[in-house]
Amino acid sequence: MVAITRLREALSVAEGDPELVRSQVQAFGRQIPLLYFILIVNTMAVTFTHLHSAPAWMSIYIPGALCTLCVVRCMRWWRGRNLVLTHEKAVPELRRLIWVAGIFGIAFTTWSLMLLPYGTPYEQAHVAFYMATTVVGCVFCLMHLRVAALLLLSIVILSFATFLVFTGSPVFIAMAVDMTLIGLALAFIIELYYRSFAGVVHTQRDLQASQEKTQRLSDENFRLASIDSLTDLPNRRSFFASLRALSEQALATGGGFNVGLIDLDGFKQVNDIYGHASGDLVLQEVGVRLLALAEPGIFFARLGGDEFGVLAQNRQSNDALLELGQRICDALSQPYRVAGNIAELSGTIGWAAFPDAGNTVTQVFERADAALYVGKEGRRGTAVIFSTEHETRIRRSSLVTQELRHAELESELFLEFQPISDVVTRRTIGLEALGRWHNPRLGAVKPEEFIRIAERTEIILRITEVLLHKALAEVPHWPAELYLSFNLSAIDISTSARARRLIDIVSASGVPPHRVSFEITETAVTRDFEQARSALTMIKQAGCRVSLDDFGTGYSSLSYVHRLPFDSIKIDRSFMTDVDSNSASKKIVKSVLDLCKNLGLECVVEGLETSSQAEVVKALGARAVQGYLFSPPMRSGAVSGYLQSAFAQSQANDAAS
Ligand code: C2E
Ligand code: MG
Ligand code: MG
């Protein structure tokens, strides 16, 4: 059974093995010219020796026709030598080749057998030699086509050996036996060669398959390493790779491109209020919205957290950038559905152009970051393009940082105090300490500037300590019912040890803790909600008060106020500007005042400048107020004079009413 299967296998085309079939056709194609060369040269040699001994049709016409056939086949091969056959075409082609080998074998053998009786024994021996060398040569050329080689071998050996045996000549019989044995050996060699050929083809196929698999795996790994798994957008690494590629291209071609950094406003609140799973959903939705805006030449990436990047491949006009930026901002400010609630977020974008704003990857990225910073500070939810004004800002910022690092903080820092008053009785109830810095080289630097810069480094910790000592030193000079309100930065409450340090400074000063109120802005609280909560709780437990500063400027929600241990809320002064003319501002102030009343919190209205504003907020139910109407911030030396005159005025008011 096995032998029959083997035989059948040996005599058929390996149809189910496309690689083998393809390799056979290819390998045989290379041998075709040699095959016909052997056939034609050998045939012509025999023709030549039999020219006079055999009739013309035997020595000229038949071999001439056979050689012409060989030439025709050769030309056919030449025309199709560069064709790559599909498997469907290669299988019939192989079958055809086997048929051709068989027909050629029969034709040439018949001709030579018919020629054998002619001529002298030398010429007869030439025909036998011709058959032997031709069959060996042709069989070697057909090695890759086992079936064809075996078929040819069998036709020639069997017919020739039989013919020779029937001649009865002992020499011819010996030749027949010899030919048969050599034929068998050749068949064995063909089989061995064919197997090793098929083995090489299969090994190459397996190798190629394993290389393809490795390539697929490595492509997949590369994809995973450059994609952000949450949003499916390219990740930071991929963003910088594209940025580098674009910068190299731009430098080489003299072109340019734009880098945009997008930061979500209000994302932290979503995370804190609804949890991280909801935060992730929002980020995914942001990814979907950004992808929808992608177009040829515009790529988005997630750089980490709630920060995204955009690359606009070609040089764009400022108008086009602002328009694209606006489309992005509009898409991001659509409401998000989170855990059954609707969350409102917005996105701010900073753009920088390469190479105009910076001609290195780092520089252009930093410039886009600077533009984003400017946007976050004053124009949230919009796109800002980096300009020289921002450049000046960056220079100034690094100058201030340098000076802050080397400043004699003890002597250069001082405080001004601004009274917090009762708008009804006009009595002073407390004083807010406001930091001031006078530097020998820079002169007076506004607190908004130096505090913001100091907050980026840990210098703010030293500033807070120096100012807190100075502020506490003033309190004993004030009437006992007045409290001190002192501003803190996010970093001051970023660890329990830092909160503890503040408490220790208050205790060491001898000022009763209930006379100290610490103000913290909502943006500071949102940096790390849990840490802020535990630090504020510690401060409260130590007996000090805590208050939420600049309420209304960020994304504070009722839930924030409710979950943190505040004693009071300070309504940002921006609402005061038009409180007496704009009903929306009035409504906001009223609702915050009502909220405080409900939660049992004190509410301080900041930025009161005119009597008309004072009347409005009084009517809305405000008590504690602060603003230029009562007094601008003053040096410590002026406080007692102010308190005396304010007291006198409140007495006069009392008497009048
Ligand atoms: P803030 O804590 O909200 O302080 C109130 C700011 O409003 C002060 O500005 C004050 O001068 C100003 N102001 C008060 N009444 C009025 C008014 O009627 N109209 C107008 N237009 N402005 C008024 P200042 O002193 O420039 O301080 C700015 C901010 O810098 C402060 O805002 C506070 O957030 C921060 N800051 C000031 N001193 C310190 C400090 O010692 N530590 C920390 N961490 N931050 C401080
Ligand atoms: Mg304040
Ligand atoms: Mg404030």
Side-chain angles (χ1 to χ4, degrees), residues 202-220:
H202 290 153
T203 315
Q204 271 178 355
R205 180 193 59 194
D206 295 347
L207 196 72
Q208 194 177 350
S210 101
Q211 275 172 350
E212 277 169 8
K213 192 174 168 196
T214 315
Q215 187 60 42
R216 268 201 310 280
L217 281 176
S218 112
D219 287 353
E220 180 62 8

Side-chain angles (χ1 to χ4, degrees), residues 246 249-251 253-258 312-316 353-356:
L246 281 179
Q249 193 191 13
L251 289 177
T253 60
F257 64 95
N258 297 280
Q313 208 173 4
N314 300 316
R315 218 185 264 270
Q316 312 254 357
F354 184 99
D356 318 15

Side-chain angles (χ1 to χ4, degrees), residues 421-439:
S421 318
D422 183 323
V423 73
V424 179
T425 63
R426 301 192 75 87
R427 288 211 169 95
T428 308
I429 53 176
L431 289 137
E432 177 175 2
L434 295 159
R436 300 291 180 252
W437 180 36
H438 192 280
N439 178 261

Side-chain angles (χ1 to χ4, degrees), residues 415 418 432-436 447-448 451 455 460 463-464 467 486-489 492 519 521 549-550 570 572-573 606-609 626-629 631 633:
L415 286 161
Q418 187 179 33
E432 177 175 2
L434 295 159
R436 300 291 180 252
E448 258 139 5
I451 297 282
E455 278 173 345
I460 192 69
I463 293 180
T464 301
L467 289 178
F486 187 86
N487 294 285
L488 292 180
S489 294
D492 293 319
E519 293 186 14
T521 60
D549 202 0
D550 301 347
K570 298 184 79 172
D572 191 69
R573 63 173 189 265
E606 289 187 279
L608 221 57
E609 289 183 0
Q626 180 181 351
Y628 294 166
L629 177 66
S631 164

Side-chain angles (χ1 to χ4, degrees), residues 262 491 539:
I262 307 170
I491 234 177
I539 291 172

Side-chain angles (χ1 to χ4, degrees), residues 261-265 306-308 332 346-350 372 376:
L261 295 185
I262 307 170
D263 193 274
L264 297 182
D265 311 308
D306 60 350
E307 206 186 5
F308 294 80
L332 296 181
S346 64
T348 306
I349 306 177
L372 173 65
K376 297 273 301 177

